[in-house]
Amino acid sequence: MIRRGFFISLEGAEGVGKSTNLEFIRNILEDNGQKVIVTREPGGTPLAEDIRQLLLTNRDEAMDVHTETLLMFAARAQHARTVIEPLVRRGDTVLCDRFTHSTYAYQGGGRGVLIRELEFLAQFAHSNLWPDLTIYLDAPVDQAFARIRDREQDRIEQSGREFFERVRHKYLEMAKKDSRISVVDANQELSAVQDDLRSLLGSFLSEQE
Ligand code: T5A
């Protein structure tokens, strides 16, 4: 039988702890025999990383929301088709910091782009490639922002509190409708968050056997 690897994405707004927990998740997967490649969006290839710079850099010219959306999907098409899909097909597990649920939450929930338009672009950019498991780290906007208060903010981080409330609302709405999205409470001590992650991944892996 040809073994297919897993595609796992990690989602959540700024400051919820995605970067902090990526290595922890990688270790659990490796301890369970997976060969893991960690990557991120926007980015994950040299071309897509250039697009990331365009997206996140503060500049005088305001970026139109349609431009922002298309750039997210341009980076994703390159990453999904040249990196994620081939790796998963050859049996590796890809752990990705953000994927299309970010676009639904930020450009859809946050900026108001219609979800049916995003669905069309998602199909065009990466066909039927979707994560087998999406881990959504959830925390109230104020708590998450308090953790990154002292950091310089990129272009999207400057979108304001109400924007991030809409982003969170869209993530929670998607999680209610899609059983492949699991919510982890990120508003607890890091050790408690990681206990929850261990237990979630344990259940996911045992379901795949
Ligand atoms: N974007 C992206 C879109 O708009 N559409 C899209 O389609 C995509 C793919 C990308 C930006 O692009 C947007 C979303 C983003 O605005 P990014 O590189 O993913 O940005 O980065 P951010 O989400 O901005 O990542 P952050 O670094 O802000 O958040 P993290 O990674 O979630 O947070 P992390 O791990 O750096 O933690 C922040 C701080 O909190 C502490 C950590 O030690 C750190 O200091 N911390 C905790 N403290 C207390 N308790 C805990 N449980 C803690 N967990 C972490």
Side-chain angles (χ1 to χ4, degrees), residues 65 68-69 100-115 118 161-174:
V65 61
E68 180 178 282
T69 302
T100 294
H101 295 107
S102 280
T103 318
Y104 289 0
Y106 282 73
Q107 281 66 48
R111 305 251 196 257
V113 180
L114 295 178
I115 295 296
L118 297 178
R161 188 179 185 286
E162 282 176 14
F163 171 85
F164 285 99
E165 291 291 357
R166 293 195 296 276
V167 167
R168 183 182 185 212
H169 183 266
K170 179 56 78 180
Y171 270 128
L172 290 169
E173 184 186 282
M174 287 189 285

Side-chain angles (χ1 to χ4, degrees), residues 147-160:
R147 293 179 187 167
I148 56 166
R149 196 175 2 220
D150 298 333
R151 222 170 54 182
E152 198 185 331
Q153 294 190 334
D154 66 36
R155 192 183 62 82
I156 291 175
E157 282 167 352
Q158 294 180 2
S159 301

Side-chain angles (χ1 to χ4, degrees), residues 12-20 41-42 52 56 72 76 97-99 102-103 106-107 147-148 151 154 156-157 186 188-190 193:
E14 356 287 292
V16 292
K18 294 180 305 301
S19 313
T20 306
E41 293 214 344
R52 178 188 177 90
L56 299 186
M72 289 293 175
R76 181 161 304 128
D97 187 347
R98 300 189 179 279
F99 194 63
S102 280
T103 318
Y106 282 73
Q107 281 66 48
R147 293 179 187 167
I148 56 166
R151 222 170 54 182
D154 66 36
I156 291 175
E157 282 167 352
Q188 9 172 26
E189 297 264 318
L190 185 57
V193 174

Side-chain angles (χ1 to χ4, degrees), residues 26-35 201-202 205-206 209:
R26 178 214 282 265
N27 290 339
I28 294 177
L29 294 167
E30 285 180 347
D31 289 348
N32 280 276
Q34 306 294 316
K35 181 174 175 214
L201 287 161
L205 291 168
S206 59
E209 285 171 3

